[in-house]
Amino acid sequence: MSFETAVSIQNVSKTYHIYKSPVHRLMNVLFGAQLREPTHIYALADVSLDIKKGETLAVIGRNGSGKSTLLQVLCGILEPTAGSVQIKGRIAALLELGAGFSMDFTGRENIYMSCAVYGLSKASIDERLDSILRFAEIGDFIDQPVKTYSSGMFVRLAFAVIAHLDADILVIDEALAVGDAYFTQKCMRFLRDFKARGTLIFVSHDTHSVISLCDRALWLEKGRMKLLGDAKPVSEAYISLLHQERDADCHDSTVESQGEHAITAQGEFGTGEAHILSCRLLSESGSELMLLDRAQQVTLEVKCTAFKDIQRPILGFFVRDRLGQPLFGENSLEFAKNWAFIKAEQTQVLRFTFAMPLLATGEYTVGVALGSGTQDTHVQHHWIYDAYAFKSQASPHLTGTIVLDDVAFVAQVDGA
Amino acid sequence: MDLKNNIFLLKELVKRDISGRYKDSMMGGVWAFVAPLIMLAVYTFVFSMVFQARWGDSGTSKTAFALNLFIGIILHGVLAESMSRAPSLMQQHASYVKKIIFPLWLLPMVPVISGTFHALISLIVLLLAVLLFQGLWPWQTLFLPFVFLPIVFFALGLAWLIAGIGVYFRDITQIMPMFITIMMFMAPIFYPASAIPEQYRSWLLLNPLTYAVEMGRGALFLGQLPSLSAYLIYLTAAVLSAAAGLWFFSKVRKGFADVL
């Protein structure tokens, strides 16, 4: 890493003026004159930082905190209201999935167009085409109009183009989130290589990739710089704040969940042909599990009712950590071959029993879903993202997510 | 603003614009030739057969009116296409404005270039008609490309100006068709410049079309060339208006993403 500055942001503010008439706005842009004092909304307020060549910066913060605005200002798409941005080198950006693609044109035509936008000539695009196609792994679809593409294919194509522009500065806004795990890994590998020669500015909600990829992180809160520093402490501070707020939210609903008919529901969907009435996780002793402090046999008890006859019902559950990462889950297909239907107006009590490992200290949620059909084709009747919440308390020296149970250890001299 | 690096992009944009127009039609690009041919036939029928109009006071042939009219319409067409499409250009490409790093100043050039392309096809049709009705062209016909050159610059200037205003002031979409029609009648397109009463003639010179149409007629029908100094003044005015349009566009461009 050299000490040359690649991006210099000086006291940048972005204010949105609410004008009475667009003509006033035109006059303002043209002459800098304020015809009538507009109403202000701050999207960015006094942001200053220097990003060195070869450095990787993550921008984190809640929705509406100004992350995307900052990236747009960096790219020159938005003009800052005050302050200045200086860029040294060629900048390329991936701000929104599929932006800049023409839907009626094929993937190949869009590659040419997207590269041309960055000033590449036909000859130099021809040269890169094979490598772009290999990176994108779109296969024969490359000659189909991009409107037929899945979101995964979109992001692969867009990323492949960005990766071949020889940019000095890359700006990426959460685009990796839609790719599959394999492609995300591939992008990560590319970005790691890219760090050796270029500057990366990266907006992500995935704190894991922020910590593993970025040197520094900038935390924006309501357009202001809340914290700027090494990626790890900044992301941790950010997460712990989110966590505290969620705790405060959760507190009310956990109280409700004591009652049998209440569901700690935040996001749900389904046909509504059957309803999950309640969901409880019971400890070994049969009481509701609020705090998990050792591995034990637990029972997930779900009470449901159907409004129509449900053929071949399936009950599934998953346990997620506080970041929403699924840890494990199961469904009833394997275990309930003789569970053929729920009759209309019937209420059934369903119980999963399994060995719950001790989990890293923190908060966990259980999601449940009631559907019908087969593993491959099924409909969801009622799907609840956070149906039950509990906490786990593990010894502080735990590294990882799950505490192993029944561990034995023997030390022996080899050959003895 | 670096045209050299963006020349491939501009070519692609123009290619898409032109091919997009004929994409779903059965006859495709043939329309580019057929449309001006039909228009010329209609002008000839209406003005020469029905109105029995004579061009000017010289005893010209029956078809002369339609041919004199057509060259005016072709030149007007370059401006008309640029001006009618410019107001909504940025809205149509909102994702280029807001979501990617795009050299936006190229966009208003696209209707100008594809308008010029169609004008040149119409010009070929006109040249063939002149050959058919009036015999070989005078050698001054070679000057015609220089008649188009300043019009292209004027069209660029107007396209940048109107595209820039159009983002902030949508009403311009309503105003433009009227303005284009006024421009057509306030230029010597349906009549020779000599038919304008003396006291109004200099006013019509404010219309950038006036001088170009007169030059084109002179070269193609009368074998006349303009004086070099007059031409250079006209060309300079055209280049300056293009530069002013581009300056205006790059100035107001900074607010595009805020408005769209």
Side-chain angles (χ1 to χ4, degrees):
Chain A
M1 195 194 294
S2 74
F3 292 100
E4 206 181 315
T5 304
V7 178
S8 170
I9 304 170
Q10 303 283 330
N11 307 96
V12 163
S13 296
K14 178 70 190 173
T15 324
Y16 283 99
H17 308 304
I18 310 299
Y19 286 95
K20 273 211 137 133
S21 143
V23 176
H24 292 169
R25 185 194 289 274
L26 178 62
M27 294 302 162
N28 187 20
V29 172
L30 207 51
F31 305 114
Q34 297 288 356
L35 280 184
R36 192 165 283 178
E37 192 60 26
T39 321
H40 301 281
I41 296 173
Y42 278 96
L44 283 177
D46 201 21
V47 174
S48 295
L49 80 151
D50 283 343
I51 306 166
K52 293 195 172 48
K53 200 173 163 218
E55 194 180 23
T56 309
L57 176 84
V59 184
I60 56 178
R62 270 178 271 226
N63 291 333
S65 59
K67 304 187 299 275
S68 297
T69 309
L70 179 63
L71 295 198
Q72 283 175 307
V73 169
L74 283 181
C75 295
I77 292 170
L78 288 177
E79 183 78 4
T81 318
S84 67
V85 174
Q86 263 151 24
I87 304 281
K88 276 202 196 115
R90 190 210 292 254
I91 185 166
L94 198 55
L95 295 184
E96 189 172 298
L97 189 55
F101 282 169
S102 311
M103 290 298 151
D104 289 332
F105 288 85
T106 67
R108 192 185 298 272
E109 288 166 324
N110 272 298
I111 290 177
Y112 274 89
M113 193 68 167
S114 308
C115 290
V117 167
Y118 286 99
L120 265 59
S121 67
K122 179 159 191 309
S124 63
I125 303 170
D126 287 339
E127 228 167 74
R128 289 156 216 242
L129 186 66
D130 277 343
S131 176
I132 294 176
L133 293 179
R134 234 178 296 124
F135 197 102
E137 295 181 41
I138 307 252
D140 294 338
F141 265 93
I142 198 68
D143 291 312
Q144 297 294 317
V146 295
K147 64 183 168 197
T148 62
Y149 283 20
S150 68
S151 57
M153 290 158 88
F154 259 123
V155 74
R156 293 212 296 276
L157 191 63
F159 201 92
V161 167
I162 288 291
H164 287 83
L165 293 174
D166 297 341
D168 303 307
I169 302 160
L170 270 188
V171 174
I172 296 178
D173 193 350
E174 307 206 55
L176 301 180
V178 278
D180 56 23
Y182 168 74
F183 187 73
T184 308
Q185 287 303 314
K186 191 170 178 172
C187 292
M188 285 298 171
R189 275 201 304 278
F190 164 76
L191 291 177
R192 267 179 241 284
D193 290 345
F194 176 78
K195 281 169 69 174
R197 58 196 153 89
T199 309
L200 178 67
I201 300 158
F202 183 61
V203 162
S204 182
H205 279 299
D206 176 10
T207 38
H208 177 72
S209 50
V210 166
I211 292 170
S212 72
L213 194 63
C214 300
D215 308 317
R216 281 202 297 168
L218 167 66
W219 174 5
L220 288 178
E221 182 85 35
K222 291 180 182 145
R224 291 180 184 280
M225 295 171 67
K226 174 119 174 176
L227 206 56
L228 173 68
D230 288 343
K232 196 160 185 289
V234 174
S235 333
E236 281 169 356
Y238 170 63
I239 286 175
S240 79
L241 180 87
L242 284 190
H243 189 203
Q244 280 166 22
E245 289 180 0
R246 193 188 294 190
D247 264 0
D249 282 350
C250 265
H251 189 70
D252 302 330
S253 39
T254 2
V255 177
E256 277 174 45
S257 78
Q258 312 289 347
E260 206 179 54
H261 287 279
I263 296 161
T264 330
Q266 290 180 355
E268 354 185 336
F269 70 90
T271 64
E273 286 172 13
H275 264 251
I276 294 169
L277 300 176
S278 72
C279 170
R280 302 193 300 163
L281 194 61
L282 303 175
S283 67
E284 257 173 343
S285 61
S287 62
E288 276 191 29
L289 183 76
M290 300 309 292
L291 183 70
L292 182 72
D293 55 3
R294 63 198 158 80
Q296 56 187 284
Q297 201 72 9
V298 297
T299 301
L300 180 71
E301 187 189 85
V302 173
K303 195 177 271 192
C304 65
T305 187
F307 300 104
K308 288 167 74 173
D309 286 353
I310 304 288
Q311 304 289 340
R312 288 194 296 177
I314 313 169
L315 181 74
F317 75 93
F318 39 84
V319 174
R320 293 174 188 268
D321 67 12
R322 65 186 180 194
L323 297 178
Q325 301 272 11
L327 298 178
F328 50 84
E330 192 48 273
N331 68 53
S332 61
L333 272 175
E334 277 292 303
F335 310 98
K337 301 252 191 263
N338 58 351
W339 187 34
F341 51 82
I342 309 173
K343 279 194 186 140
E345 307 302 325
Q346 195 180 49
T347 298
Q348 294 192 356
V349 178
L350 316 166
R351 289 190 184 87
F352 263 117
T353 304
F354 60 96
M356 171 73 92
L358 180 57
L359 303 170
T361 304
E363 183 172 324
Y364 296 86
T365 58
V366 183
V368 290
L370 181 64
S372 63
T374 65
Q375 183 76 56
D376 298 323
T377 57
H378 53 262
V379 288
Q380 299 289 4
H381 297 302
H382 195 178
W383 192 96
I384 306 174
Y385 194 86
D386 291 323
Y388 189 87
F390 65 96
K391 287 193 166 115
S392 185
Q393 182 75 56
S395 66
H397 67 256
L398 167 71
T399 51
T401 312
I402 291 173
V403 183
L404 294 178
D405 209 10
D406 276 336
V407 182
F409 176 77
V410 177
Q412 199 173 30
V413 179
D414 194 21
Chain B
M1 267 171 250
D2 172 7
L3 191 59
K4 192 168 141 276
N5 274 336
N6 288 308
I7 201 84
F8 174 59
L9 176 60
L10 184 61
K11 256 193 233 165
E12 283 294 298
L13 288 168
V14 171
K15 214 164 78 185
R16 283 185 180 191
D17 187 63
I18 293 173
S19 69
R21 184 173 315 195
Y22 304 112
K23 205 171 183 182
D24 295 322
S25 64
M26 258 164 42
M27 279 165 58
V30 179
W31 277 116
F33 269 98
V34 172
L37 203 61
I38 293 175
M39 290 319 289
L40 183 58
V42 170
Y43 297 144
T44 310
F45 175 74
V46 173
F47 291 102
S48 302
M49 307 295 163
V50 181
F51 286 173
Q52 306 211 329
R54 288 285 184 273
W55 191 261
D57 31 41
S58 53
T60 47
S61 71
K62 272 186 152 189
T63 50
F65 193 98
L67 297 178
N68 273 284
L69 170 66
F70 199 45
I71 190 160
I73 290 195
I74 293 171
L75 284 163
H76 176 259
V78 177
L79 289 182
E81 170 140 8
S82 314
M83 289 163 72
S84 63
R85 291 177 54 195
S88 54
L89 265 182
M90 296 300 131
Q91 280 93 307
Q92 278 165 9
H93 297 93
S95 79
Y96 288 175
V97 178
K98 297 174 73 165
K99 309 291 187 200
I100 61 175
I101 304 169
F102 193 95
L104 292 174
W105 58 280
L106 291 180
L107 290 177
M109 297 177 78
V110 174
V112 176
I113 296 174
S114 70
T116 308
F117 169 80
H118 284 100
L120 292 179
I121 291 178
S122 300
L123 185 65
I124 292 171
V125 171
L126 174 67
L127 287 175
L128 293 177
V130 171
L131 187 67
L132 185 69
F133 295 119
Q134 302 190 339
L136 264 183
W137 318 289
W139 68 266
Q140 287 87 347
T141 305
L142 292 173
F143 181 69
L144 280 182
F146 297 99
V147 173
F148 276 80
L149 189 66
I151 284 297
V152 171
F153 278 113
F154 276 123
L156 280 173
L158 284 166
W160 275 317
L161 175 75
I162 296 164
I165 297 175
V167 174
Y168 301 91
F169 185 61
R170 301 272 163 101
D171 307 43
I172 203 164
T173 322
Q174 308 302 320
I175 298 170
M176 232 1 99
M178 189 177 68
F179 197 73
I180 290 168
T181 311
I182 292 175
M183 210 161 183
M184 178 176 236
F185 285 98
M186 291 295 127
I189 290 178
F190 288 96
Y191 45 85
S194 55
I196 310 162
E198 195 74 50
Q199 68 264 41
Y200 301 124
R201 208 169 288 172
S202 52
W203 284 103
L204 252 70
L205 276 174
L206 286 178
N207 187 335
L209 270 172
T210 302
Y211 195 60
V213 173
E214 284 300 299
M215 277 197 302
R217 279 180 190 144
L220 184 57
F221 300 117
L222 306 172
Q224 290 171 351
L225 291 183
S227 75
L228 186 65
S229 59
Y231 178 75
L232 285 182
I233 291 171
Y234 182 58
L235 184 63
T236 309
V239 172
L240 285 180
S241 72
L246 186 57
W247 173 84
F248 176 85
F249 184 84
S250 55
K251 187 103 178 155
V252 297
R253 181 226 166 281
K254 292 169 184 164
F256 283 178
D258 295 340
V259 186
L260 288 181

